[in-house]
Amino acid sequence: MSKKTVFGATTQILAIVDDYDALPVQVDNTGLTADKYGRTIIPAGTPVGGAKSYKDDPATVLSVVNDSTAQGVLLHDTDVTEGTGNGSLLVRGFVNLNRLNGVTIADAVKTALDGKVEFLNR
């Protein structure tokens, strides 16, 4: 029998919840450190991407980025404690910056996602 531990409620980062598109992606834990519970959780709203596009190859593994290689932001918290984890990549929609927990969106990310993901202070 397995044990399920819930650490908190789902973080809602969307400013408009009925108008968005998200796709399944794989995200790695390169350069990330575990929290005090030994878990490595990437917060919702974190920009992910890399040199290789998930559009060209759905098996592409994305990484946490904060630069022009951003391909979207994570729609939900993503657990990468065991290595590569499954996430939902927001590729079109409106993100409420006031709901991001400890995530900073660089200007380069906003430029890379311009016309796809809009960042609002709501």
Short mmCIF file of all heavy atoms in Angstrom, two decimals, residues 25-59:
data_model
loop_
_atom_site.label_atom_id
_atom_site.label_comp_id
_atom_site.label_asym_id
_atom_site.label_seq_id
_atom_site.Cartn_x
_atom_site.Cartn_y
_atom_site.Cartn_z
N VAL A 25 4.27 18.22 -20.51
CA VAL A 25 5.71 18.26 -20.77
C VAL A 25 6.44 17.53 -19.66
O VAL A 25 5.90 17.28 -18.58
CB VAL A 25 6.26 19.70 -20.87
CG1 VAL A 25 5.74 20.42 -22.09
CG2 VAL A 25 5.99 20.49 -19.61
N GLN A 26 7.70 17.23 -19.94
CA GLN A 26 8.58 16.67 -18.93
C GLN A 26 9.55 17.76 -18.50
O GLN A 26 10.04 18.53 -19.34
CB GLN A 26 9.35 15.48 -19.48
CG GLN A 26 8.46 14.32 -19.81
CD GLN A 26 9.27 13.14 -20.34
OE1 GLN A 26 10.48 13.21 -20.51
NE2 GLN A 26 8.59 12.04 -20.58
N VAL A 27 9.81 17.84 -17.19
CA VAL A 27 10.68 18.87 -16.63
C VAL A 27 11.72 18.18 -15.76
O VAL A 27 11.39 17.29 -14.98
CB VAL A 27 9.87 19.88 -15.79
CG1 VAL A 27 10.75 21.00 -15.30
CG2 VAL A 27 8.69 20.41 -16.56
N ASP A 28 12.98 18.61 -15.89
CA ASP A 28 14.03 17.99 -15.07
C ASP A 28 14.32 18.81 -13.82
O ASP A 28 13.79 19.90 -13.64
CB ASP A 28 15.30 17.73 -15.89
CG ASP A 28 16.05 19.00 -16.28
OD1 ASP A 28 15.82 20.06 -15.69
OD2 ASP A 28 16.89 18.91 -17.18
N ASN A 29 15.16 18.27 -12.97
CA ASN A 29 15.48 18.94 -11.70
C ASN A 29 16.92 19.45 -11.67
O ASN A 29 17.46 19.69 -10.59
CB ASN A 29 15.22 18.00 -10.52
CG ASN A 29 16.11 16.78 -10.53
OD1 ASN A 29 16.94 16.60 -11.41
ND2 ASN A 29 15.92 15.91 -9.55
N THR A 30 17.51 19.66 -12.83
CA THR A 30 18.89 20.15 -12.91
C THR A 30 19.05 21.49 -12.19
O THR A 30 18.31 22.43 -12.45
CB THR A 30 19.31 20.31 -14.39
OG1 THR A 30 19.16 19.07 -15.04
CG2 THR A 30 20.74 20.80 -14.50
N GLY A 31 20.00 21.54 -11.27
CA GLY A 31 20.31 22.77 -10.56
C GLY A 31 19.35 23.14 -9.44
O GLY A 31 19.49 24.20 -8.84
N LEU A 32 18.38 22.30 -9.16
CA LEU A 32 17.40 22.60 -8.11
C LEU A 32 17.76 21.86 -6.83
O LEU A 32 18.35 20.78 -6.86
CB LEU A 32 16.00 22.19 -8.57
CG LEU A 32 15.53 22.80 -9.89
CD1 LEU A 32 14.16 22.25 -10.26
CD2 LEU A 32 15.48 24.31 -9.79
N THR A 33 17.39 22.43 -5.70
CA THR A 33 17.66 21.78 -4.42
C THR A 33 16.35 21.43 -3.73
O THR A 33 15.33 22.10 -3.91
CB THR A 33 18.49 22.70 -3.50
OG1 THR A 33 17.81 23.94 -3.35
CG2 THR A 33 19.86 22.97 -4.07
N ALA A 34 16.42 20.41 -2.93
CA ALA A 34 15.24 19.94 -2.20
C ALA A 34 14.89 20.90 -1.07
O ALA A 34 15.74 21.62 -0.54
CB ALA A 34 15.50 18.54 -1.64
N ASP A 35 13.62 20.89 -0.68
CA ASP A 35 13.17 21.70 0.44
C ASP A 35 13.47 20.98 1.76
O ASP A 35 14.11 19.93 1.77
CB ASP A 35 11.68 22.05 0.31
CG ASP A 35 10.76 20.85 0.33
OD1 ASP A 35 11.20 19.73 0.74
OD2 ASP A 35 9.58 21.00 -0.05
N LYS A 36 13.02 21.53 2.86
CA LYS A 36 13.32 20.95 4.17
C LYS A 36 12.68 19.59 4.38
O LYS A 36 13.03 18.87 5.31
CB LYS A 36 12.92 21.92 5.28
CG LYS A 36 11.43 22.20 5.38
CD LYS A 36 11.15 23.22 6.47
CE LYS A 36 9.66 23.53 6.54
NZ LYS A 36 9.38 24.50 7.58
N TYR A 37 11.73 19.22 3.52
CA TYR A 37 11.08 17.91 3.61
C TYR A 37 11.72 16.89 2.67
O TYR A 37 11.25 15.77 2.56
CB TYR A 37 9.59 18.04 3.28
CG TYR A 37 8.87 19.02 4.16
CD1 TYR A 37 8.49 20.26 3.65
CD2 TYR A 37 8.60 18.74 5.49
CE1 TYR A 37 7.83 21.18 4.47
CE2 TYR A 37 7.95 19.65 6.31
CZ TYR A 37 7.58 20.87 5.78
OH TYR A 37 6.94 21.77 6.58
N GLY A 38 12.77 17.32 1.95
CA GLY A 38 13.45 16.43 1.02
C GLY A 38 12.78 16.35 -0.34
O GLY A 38 13.13 15.52 -1.16
N ARG A 39 11.82 17.23 -0.60
CA ARG A 39 11.09 17.24 -1.88
C ARG A 39 11.63 18.37 -2.76
O ARG A 39 12.03 19.42 -2.27
CB ARG A 39 9.58 17.47 -1.67
CG ARG A 39 8.90 16.57 -0.66
CD ARG A 39 8.89 15.14 -0.99
NE ARG A 39 8.19 14.89 -2.25
CZ ARG A 39 8.20 13.72 -2.87
NH1 ARG A 39 8.86 12.71 -2.39
NH2 ARG A 39 7.55 13.57 -4.00
N THR A 40 11.60 18.14 -4.05
CA THR A 40 11.98 19.18 -5.01
C THR A 40 10.73 19.50 -5.83
O THR A 40 10.33 18.72 -6.70
CB THR A 40 13.12 18.71 -5.93
OG1 THR A 40 14.21 18.27 -5.12
CG2 THR A 40 13.60 19.83 -6.83
N ILE A 41 10.10 20.60 -5.49
CA ILE A 41 8.86 21.03 -6.12
C ILE A 41 9.12 22.33 -6.87
O ILE A 41 9.58 23.31 -6.27
CB ILE A 41 7.74 21.26 -5.08
CG1 ILE A 41 7.60 20.06 -4.13
CG2 ILE A 41 6.42 21.61 -5.77
CD1 ILE A 41 7.13 18.79 -4.77
N ILE A 42 8.81 22.35 -8.16
CA ILE A 42 8.92 23.57 -8.95
C ILE A 42 7.57 24.28 -8.85
O ILE A 42 6.54 23.71 -9.20
CB ILE A 42 9.26 23.29 -10.42
CG1 ILE A 42 10.55 22.45 -10.52
CG2 ILE A 42 9.41 24.60 -11.19
CD1 ILE A 42 10.82 21.96 -11.92
N PRO A 43 7.54 25.53 -8.36
CA PRO A 43 6.26 26.22 -8.16
C PRO A 43 5.53 26.54 -9.47
O PRO A 43 6.16 26.79 -10.50
CB PRO A 43 6.66 27.52 -7.45
CG PRO A 43 8.07 27.37 -7.04
CD PRO A 43 8.67 26.33 -7.89
N ALA A 44 4.23 26.57 -9.39
CA ALA A 44 3.40 27.00 -10.52
C ALA A 44 3.83 28.40 -10.93
O ALA A 44 4.14 29.23 -10.08
CB ALA A 44 1.92 26.99 -10.12
N GLY A 45 3.85 28.65 -12.23
CA GLY A 45 4.24 29.95 -12.75
C GLY A 45 5.70 30.05 -13.12
O GLY A 45 6.13 31.04 -13.71
N THR A 46 6.49 29.03 -12.78
CA THR A 46 7.91 29.04 -13.09
C THR A 46 8.12 28.88 -14.60
O THR A 46 7.57 27.96 -15.21
CB THR A 46 8.64 27.90 -12.35
OG1 THR A 46 8.48 28.08 -10.95
CG2 THR A 46 10.12 27.88 -12.70
N PRO A 47 8.92 29.75 -15.21
CA PRO A 47 9.22 29.60 -16.64
C PRO A 47 10.11 28.37 -16.87
O PRO A 47 11.05 28.13 -16.11
CB PRO A 47 9.98 30.87 -17.00
CG PRO A 47 9.80 31.80 -15.86
CD PRO A 47 9.50 30.97 -14.66
N VAL A 48 9.77 27.60 -17.89
CA VAL A 48 10.59 26.46 -18.28
C VAL A 48 10.83 26.52 -19.78
O VAL A 48 10.05 27.10 -20.53
CB VAL A 48 9.97 25.10 -17.88
CG1 VAL A 48 9.91 24.95 -16.37
CG2 VAL A 48 8.59 24.92 -18.48
N GLY A 49 11.91 25.91 -20.20
CA GLY A 49 12.25 25.90 -21.62
C GLY A 49 13.60 25.27 -21.82
O GLY A 49 14.03 24.43 -21.05
N GLY A 50 14.26 25.70 -22.87
CA GLY A 50 15.57 25.18 -23.21
C GLY A 50 15.85 25.39 -24.68
O GLY A 50 15.05 25.98 -25.41
N ALA A 51 16.98 24.88 -25.11
CA ALA A 51 17.41 25.06 -26.50
C ALA A 51 16.55 24.26 -27.48
O ALA A 51 16.34 24.67 -28.61
CB ALA A 51 18.87 24.66 -26.65
N LYS A 52 16.04 23.11 -27.04
CA LYS A 52 15.23 22.26 -27.90
C LYS A 52 13.75 22.50 -27.60
O LYS A 52 13.33 22.55 -26.46
CB LYS A 52 15.60 20.80 -27.64
CG LYS A 52 15.05 19.84 -28.65
CD LYS A 52 15.63 18.45 -28.42
CE LYS A 52 15.04 17.47 -29.41
NZ LYS A 52 15.53 16.11 -29.15
N SER A 53 12.95 22.63 -28.66
CA SER A 53 11.53 22.95 -28.51
C SER A 53 10.68 21.71 -28.26
O SER A 53 10.84 20.70 -28.94
CB SER A 53 11.02 23.66 -29.76
OG SER A 53 9.62 23.82 -29.69
N TYR A 54 9.76 21.81 -27.30
CA TYR A 54 8.81 20.72 -27.06
C TYR A 54 7.89 20.54 -28.26
O TYR A 54 7.34 19.46 -28.47
CB TYR A 54 7.99 20.99 -25.80
CG TYR A 54 6.93 22.05 -26.02
CD1 TYR A 54 5.64 21.70 -26.39
CD2 TYR A 54 7.23 23.40 -25.91
CE1 TYR A 54 4.69 22.67 -26.64
CE2 TYR A 54 6.30 24.36 -26.15
CZ TYR A 54 5.02 24.00 -26.51
OH TYR A 54 4.07 24.95 -26.76
N LYS A 55 7.73 21.58 -29.09
CA LYS A 55 6.86 21.49 -30.28
C LYS A 55 7.47 20.56 -31.33
O LYS A 55 6.74 19.87 -32.04
CB LYS A 55 6.66 22.86 -30.90
CG LYS A 55 5.90 23.83 -30.05
CD LYS A 55 5.81 25.17 -30.76
CE LYS A 55 5.33 26.26 -29.86
NZ LYS A 55 5.34 27.56 -30.53
N ASP A 56 8.79 20.56 -31.45
CA ASP A 56 9.47 19.72 -32.43
C ASP A 56 9.55 18.27 -31.98
O ASP A 56 9.54 17.36 -32.81
CB ASP A 56 10.88 20.25 -32.70
CG ASP A 56 10.86 21.64 -33.32
OD1 ASP A 56 9.87 21.98 -34.01
OD2 ASP A 56 11.83 22.39 -33.09
N ASP A 57 9.68 18.05 -30.69
CA ASP A 57 9.83 16.70 -30.15
C ASP A 57 9.12 16.63 -28.80
O ASP A 57 9.61 17.19 -27.82
CB ASP A 57 11.32 16.37 -30.00
CG ASP A 57 11.56 14.98 -29.46
OD1 ASP A 57 10.59 14.21 -29.26
OD2 ASP A 57 12.74 14.64 -29.22
N PRO A 58 7.98 15.94 -28.74
CA PRO A 58 7.23 15.88 -27.48
C PRO A 58 7.99 15.18 -26.35
O PRO A 58 7.60 15.29 -25.20
CB PRO A 58 5.95 15.13 -27.84
CG PRO A 58 6.18 14.52 -29.16
CD PRO A 58 7.30 15.25 -29.82
N ALA A 59 9.07 14.49 -26.66
CA ALA A 59 9.88 13.84 -25.63
C ALA A 59 10.94 14.77 -25.05
O ALA A 59 11.71 14.36 -24.19
CB ALA A 59 10.53 12.59 -26.20
#
